[in-house]
mmCIF file of all heavy atoms in Angstrom:
data_model
loop_
_atom_site.group_PDB
_atom_site.id
_atom_site.type_symbol
_atom_site.label_atom_id
_atom_site.label_comp_id
_atom_site.label_asym_id
_atom_site.label_seq_id
_atom_site.Cartn_x
_atom_site.Cartn_y
_atom_site.Cartn_z
ATOM 1 N N GLY L 1 -6.560 -81.141 -17.962
ATOM 2 C CA GLY L 1 -5.650 -80.595 -16.952
ATOM 3 C C GLY L 1 -4.815 -81.662 -16.281
ATOM 4 O O GLY L 1 -3.622 -81.466 -16.028
ATOM 5 N N GLN L 2 -5.425 -82.795 -16.015
ATOM 6 C CA GLN L 2 -4.706 -83.894 -15.369
ATOM 7 C C GLN L 2 -3.616 -84.434 -16.293
ATOM 8 O O GLN L 2 -2.490 -84.661 -15.855
ATOM 9 C CB GLN L 2 -5.684 -85.008 -14.995
ATOM 10 C CG GLN L 2 -5.025 -86.182 -14.325
ATOM 11 C CD GLN L 2 -6.031 -87.271 -13.973
ATOM 12 O OE1 GLN L 2 -7.234 -87.033 -13.923
ATOM 13 N NE2 GLN L 2 -5.524 -88.464 -13.736
ATOM 14 N N VAL L 3 -3.939 -84.644 -17.566
ATOM 15 C CA VAL L 3 -2.950 -85.147 -18.526
ATOM 16 C C VAL L 3 -1.782 -84.168 -18.630
ATOM 17 O O VAL L 3 -0.613 -84.565 -18.567
ATOM 18 C CB VAL L 3 -3.585 -85.375 -19.922
ATOM 19 C CG1 VAL L 3 -2.522 -85.699 -20.965
ATOM 20 C CG2 VAL L 3 -4.624 -86.488 -19.856
ATOM 21 N N ILE L 4 -2.099 -82.893 -18.760
ATOM 22 C CA ILE L 4 -1.053 -81.874 -18.902
ATOM 23 C C ILE L 4 -0.179 -81.827 -17.648
ATOM 24 O O ILE L 4 1.056 -81.817 -17.740
ATOM 25 C CB ILE L 4 -1.679 -80.498 -19.197
ATOM 26 C CG1 ILE L 4 -2.325 -80.504 -20.585
ATOM 27 C CG2 ILE L 4 -0.639 -79.388 -19.083
ATOM 28 C CD1 ILE L 4 -3.190 -79.296 -20.868
ATOM 29 N N SER L 5 -0.799 -81.809 -16.475
ATOM 30 C CA SER L 5 -0.046 -81.742 -15.217
ATOM 31 C C SER L 5 0.870 -82.944 -15.035
ATOM 32 O O SER L 5 2.036 -82.791 -14.663
ATOM 33 C CB SER L 5 -1.012 -81.656 -14.030
ATOM 34 O OG SER L 5 -1.751 -80.473 -14.071
ATOM 35 N N GLU L 6 0.339 -84.134 -15.300
ATOM 36 C CA GLU L 6 1.150 -85.346 -15.131
ATOM 37 C C GLU L 6 2.328 -85.366 -16.095
ATOM 38 O O GLU L 6 3.450 -85.694 -15.702
ATOM 39 C CB GLU L 6 0.285 -86.593 -15.324
ATOM 40 C CG GLU L 6 -0.668 -86.838 -14.178
ATOM 41 C CD GLU L 6 -1.641 -87.977 -14.433
ATOM 42 O OE1 GLU L 6 -1.588 -88.601 -15.523
ATOM 43 O OE2 GLU L 6 -2.467 -88.238 -13.537
ATOM 44 N N ARG L 7 2.088 -85.009 -17.356
ATOM 45 C CA ARG L 7 3.169 -85.015 -18.344
ATOM 46 C C ARG L 7 4.232 -83.964 -18.024
ATOM 47 O O ARG L 7 5.416 -84.227 -18.095
ATOM 48 C CB ARG L 7 2.616 -84.791 -19.750
ATOM 49 C CG ARG L 7 1.731 -85.899 -20.276
ATOM 50 C CD ARG L 7 2.528 -87.184 -20.498
ATOM 51 N NE ARG L 7 1.749 -88.161 -21.196
ATOM 52 C CZ ARG L 7 2.023 -88.628 -22.415
ATOM 53 N NH1 ARG L 7 3.069 -88.217 -23.082
ATOM 54 N NH2 ARG L 7 1.235 -89.530 -22.960
ATOM 55 N N ALA L 8 3.791 -82.758 -17.668
ATOM 56 C CA ALA L 8 4.737 -81.683 -17.350
ATOM 57 C C ALA L 8 5.564 -82.052 -16.113
ATOM 58 O O ALA L 8 6.786 -81.821 -16.085
ATOM 59 C CB ALA L 8 3.991 -80.371 -17.144
ATOM 60 N N SER L 9 4.934 -82.628 -15.105
ATOM 61 C CA SER L 9 5.645 -83.026 -13.891
ATOM 62 C C SER L 9 6.682 -84.096 -14.177
ATOM 63 O O SER L 9 7.788 -84.070 -13.627
ATOM 64 C CB SER L 9 4.657 -83.527 -12.837
ATOM 65 O OG SER L 9 3.822 -82.472 -12.419
ATOM 66 N N ARG L 10 6.337 -85.026 -15.045
ATOM 67 C CA ARG L 10 7.277 -86.093 -15.409
ATOM 68 C C ARG L 10 8.520 -85.514 -16.097
ATOM 69 O O ARG L 10 9.642 -85.924 -15.809
ATOM 70 C CB ARG L 10 6.584 -87.104 -16.325
ATOM 71 C CG ARG L 10 7.378 -88.366 -16.524
ATOM 72 C CD ARG L 10 6.632 -89.418 -17.325
ATOM 73 N NE ARG L 10 5.260 -89.577 -16.887
ATOM 74 C CZ ARG L 10 4.232 -89.820 -17.682
ATOM 75 N NH1 ARG L 10 4.421 -89.942 -18.985
ATOM 76 N NH2 ARG L 10 3.020 -89.959 -17.230
ATOM 77 N N ILE L 11 8.308 -84.543 -16.975
ATOM 78 C CA ILE L 11 9.444 -83.921 -17.679
ATOM 79 C C ILE L 11 10.288 -83.124 -16.679
ATOM 80 O O ILE L 11 11.518 -83.205 -16.696
ATOM 81 C CB ILE L 11 8.964 -83.009 -18.827
ATOM 82 C CG1 ILE L 11 8.147 -83.797 -19.859
ATOM 83 C CG2 ILE L 11 10.143 -82.291 -19.481
ATOM 84 C CD1 ILE L 11 8.901 -84.825 -20.644
ATOM 85 N N ALA L 12 9.653 -82.358 -15.801
ATOM 86 C CA ALA L 12 10.387 -81.582 -14.788
ATOM 87 C C ALA L 12 11.233 -82.505 -13.921
ATOM 88 O O ALA L 12 12.397 -82.195 -13.617
ATOM 89 C CB ALA L 12 9.409 -80.781 -13.937
ATOM 90 N N ASP L 13 10.669 -83.641 -13.544
ATOM 91 C CA ASP L 13 11.392 -84.623 -12.741
ATOM 92 C C ASP L 13 12.615 -85.147 -13.504
ATOM 93 O O ASP L 13 13.692 -85.312 -12.922
ATOM 94 C CB ASP L 13 10.447 -85.769 -12.364
ATOM 95 C CG ASP L 13 11.108 -86.787 -11.481
ATOM 96 O OD1 ASP L 13 11.606 -86.407 -10.397
ATOM 97 O OD2 ASP L 13 11.137 -87.983 -11.868
ATOM 98 N N ARG L 14 12.460 -85.393 -14.784
ATOM 99 C CA ARG L 14 13.561 -85.898 -15.605
ATOM 100 C C ARG L 14 14.739 -84.914 -15.617
ATOM 101 O O ARG L 14 15.889 -85.309 -15.658
ATOM 102 C CB ARG L 14 13.083 -86.154 -17.035
ATOM 103 C CG ARG L 14 14.142 -86.802 -17.895
ATOM 104 C CD ARG L 14 13.708 -87.098 -19.320
ATOM 105 N NE ARG L 14 12.364 -87.588 -19.432
ATOM 106 C CZ ARG L 14 11.546 -87.288 -20.453
ATOM 107 N NH1 ARG L 14 11.960 -86.495 -21.419
ATOM 108 N NH2 ARG L 14 10.335 -87.767 -20.502
ATOM 109 N N TYR L 15 14.436 -83.625 -15.561
ATOM 110 C CA TYR L 15 15.481 -82.593 -15.554
ATOM 111 C C TYR L 15 15.886 -82.198 -14.128
ATOM 112 O O TYR L 15 16.687 -81.291 -13.952
ATOM 113 C CB TYR L 15 15.005 -81.347 -16.315
ATOM 114 C CG TYR L 15 15.088 -81.517 -17.803
ATOM 115 C CD1 TYR L 15 14.017 -82.034 -18.529
ATOM 116 C CD2 TYR L 15 16.246 -81.172 -18.501
ATOM 117 C CE1 TYR L 15 14.090 -82.200 -19.900
ATOM 118 C CE2 TYR L 15 16.327 -81.331 -19.873
ATOM 119 C CZ TYR L 15 15.242 -81.846 -20.566
ATOM 120 O OH TYR L 15 15.320 -82.015 -21.932
ATOM 121 N N ASP L 16 15.312 -82.868 -13.114
ATOM 122 C CA ASP L 16 15.545 -82.540 -11.712
ATOM 123 C C ASP L 16 15.233 -81.068 -11.448
ATOM 124 O O ASP L 16 15.993 -80.364 -10.797
ATOM 125 C CB ASP L 16 16.988 -82.879 -11.307
ATOM 126 C CG ASP L 16 17.173 -82.874 -9.792
ATOM 127 O OD1 ASP L 16 16.189 -83.135 -9.071
ATOM 128 O OD2 ASP L 16 18.292 -82.561 -9.334
ATOM 129 N N ARG L 17 14.078 -80.622 -11.990
ATOM 130 C CA ARG L 17 13.679 -79.222 -11.867
ATOM 131 C C ARG L 17 12.221 -79.087 -11.433
ATOM 132 O O ARG L 17 11.517 -78.175 -11.851
ATOM 133 C CB ARG L 17 13.907 -78.491 -13.193
ATOM 134 C CG ARG L 17 15.387 -78.372 -13.541
ATOM 135 C CD ARG L 17 15.641 -77.589 -14.779
ATOM 136 N NE ARG L 17 15.059 -76.254 -14.725
ATOM 137 C CZ ARG L 17 14.974 -75.468 -15.804
ATOM 138 N NH1 ARG L 17 15.439 -75.862 -16.966
ATOM 139 N NH2 ARG L 17 14.437 -74.270 -15.702
ATOM 140 N N GLU L 18 11.782 -79.965 -10.547
ATOM 141 C CA GLU L 18 10.402 -79.934 -10.081
ATOM 142 C C GLU L 18 10.047 -78.572 -9.483
ATOM 143 O O GLU L 18 8.933 -78.083 -9.658
ATOM 144 C CB GLU L 18 10.146 -81.028 -9.039
ATOM 145 C CG GLU L 18 10.371 -82.439 -9.545
ATOM 146 C CD GLU L 18 11.799 -82.934 -9.328
ATOM 147 O OE1 GLU L 18 12.714 -82.107 -9.081
ATOM 148 O OE2 GLU L 18 12.012 -84.142 -9.416
ATOM 149 N N ALA L 19 11.007 -77.943 -8.788
ATOM 150 C CA ALA L 19 10.738 -76.651 -8.147
ATOM 151 C C ALA L 19 10.575 -75.524 -9.161
ATOM 152 O O ALA L 19 9.986 -74.486 -8.843
ATOM 153 C CB ALA L 19 11.868 -76.310 -7.179
ATOM 154 N N ASP L 20 11.068 -75.709 -10.384
ATOM 155 C CA ASP L 20 10.961 -74.681 -11.418
ATOM 156 C C ASP L 20 9.630 -74.725 -12.160
ATOM 157 O O ASP L 20 9.284 -73.776 -12.856
ATOM 158 C CB ASP L 20 12.092 -74.832 -12.456
ATOM 159 C CG ASP L 20 13.465 -74.584 -11.863
ATOM 160 O OD1 ASP L 20 13.562 -73.989 -10.779
ATOM 161 O OD2 ASP L 20 14.454 -75.001 -12.512
ATOM 162 N N LEU L 21 8.882 -75.818 -12.021
ATOM 163 C CA LEU L 21 7.645 -75.995 -12.770
ATOM 164 C C LEU L 21 6.485 -75.266 -12.093
ATOM 165 O O LEU L 21 6.216 -75.455 -10.903
ATOM 166 C CB LEU L 21 7.310 -77.487 -12.896
ATOM 167 C CG LEU L 21 6.036 -77.827 -13.657
ATOM 168 C CD1 LEU L 21 6.120 -77.359 -15.112
ATOM 169 C CD2 LEU L 21 5.795 -79.337 -13.594
ATOM 170 N N VAL L 22 5.809 -74.430 -12.852
ATOM 171 C CA VAL L 22 4.613 -73.732 -12.389
ATOM 172 C C VAL L 22 3.455 -74.234 -13.242
ATOM 173 O O VAL L 22 3.445 -74.036 -14.463
ATOM 174 C CB VAL L 22 4.759 -72.199 -12.549
ATOM 175 C CG1 VAL L 22 3.481 -71.497 -12.103
ATOM 176 C CG2 VAL L 22 5.972 -71.688 -11.790
ATOM 177 N N ILE L 23 2.508 -74.911 -12.616
ATOM 178 C CA ILE L 23 1.356 -75.463 -13.343
ATOM 179 C C ILE L 23 0.123 -74.644 -13.008
ATOM 180 O O ILE L 23 -0.220 -74.475 -11.839
ATOM 181 C CB ILE L 23 1.134 -76.946 -13.006
ATOM 182 C CG1 ILE L 23 2.344 -77.775 -13.441
ATOM 183 C CG2 ILE L 23 -0.138 -77.455 -13.660
ATOM 184 C CD1 ILE L 23 2.243 -79.241 -13.115
ATOM 185 N N ASP L 24 -0.529 -74.142 -14.045
ATOM 186 C CA ASP L 24 -1.731 -73.325 -13.899
ATOM 187 C C ASP L 24 -2.734 -73.815 -14.947
ATOM 188 O O ASP L 24 -2.877 -73.223 -16.009
ATOM 189 C CB ASP L 24 -1.369 -71.847 -14.114
ATOM 190 C CG ASP L 24 -2.564 -70.926 -13.988
ATOM 191 O OD1 ASP L 24 -3.601 -71.354 -13.442
ATOM 192 O OD2 ASP L 24 -2.464 -69.770 -14.452
ATOM 193 N N VAL L 25 -3.381 -74.940 -14.639
ATOM 194 C CA VAL L 25 -4.275 -75.557 -15.617
ATOM 195 C C VAL L 25 -5.665 -75.757 -15.026
ATOM 196 O O VAL L 25 -5.824 -75.919 -13.822
ATOM 197 C CB VAL L 25 -3.727 -76.921 -16.124
ATOM 198 C CG1 VAL L 25 -2.403 -76.749 -16.824
ATOM 199 C CG2 VAL L 25 -3.589 -77.924 -14.991
ATOM 200 N N HIS L 26 -6.648 -75.722 -15.889
ATOM 201 C CA HIS L 26 -8.016 -76.066 -15.534
ATOM 202 C C HIS L 26 -8.284 -77.457 -16.097
ATOM 203 O O HIS L 26 -7.743 -77.828 -17.128
ATOM 204 C CB HIS L 26 -8.998 -75.067 -16.122
ATOM 205 C CG HIS L 26 -8.889 -73.710 -15.497
ATOM 206 N ND1 HIS L 26 -9.631 -72.650 -15.917
ATOM 207 C CD2 HIS L 26 -8.148 -73.244 -14.468
ATOM 208 C CE1 HIS L 26 -9.343 -71.594 -15.188
ATOM 209 N NE2 HIS L 26 -8.440 -71.928 -14.310
ATOM 210 N N ASP L 27 -9.133 -78.203 -15.435
ATOM 211 C CA ASP L 27 -9.442 -79.558 -15.873
ATOM 212 C C ASP L 27 -10.817 -79.564 -16.542
ATOM 213 O O ASP L 27 -11.793 -79.062 -15.972
ATOM 214 C CB ASP L 27 -9.422 -80.511 -14.685
ATOM 215 C CG ASP L 27 -9.114 -81.934 -15.093
ATOM 216 O OD1 ASP L 27 -8.591 -82.142 -16.204
ATOM 217 O OD2 ASP L 27 -9.386 -82.855 -14.295
#
């Protein structure tokens, strides 16, 4: 879950779309 969240957040940041990202992961 941590790996997925960190990677997804980094990509969202690259597109300046942090507010569009919905993370629903279990660790």
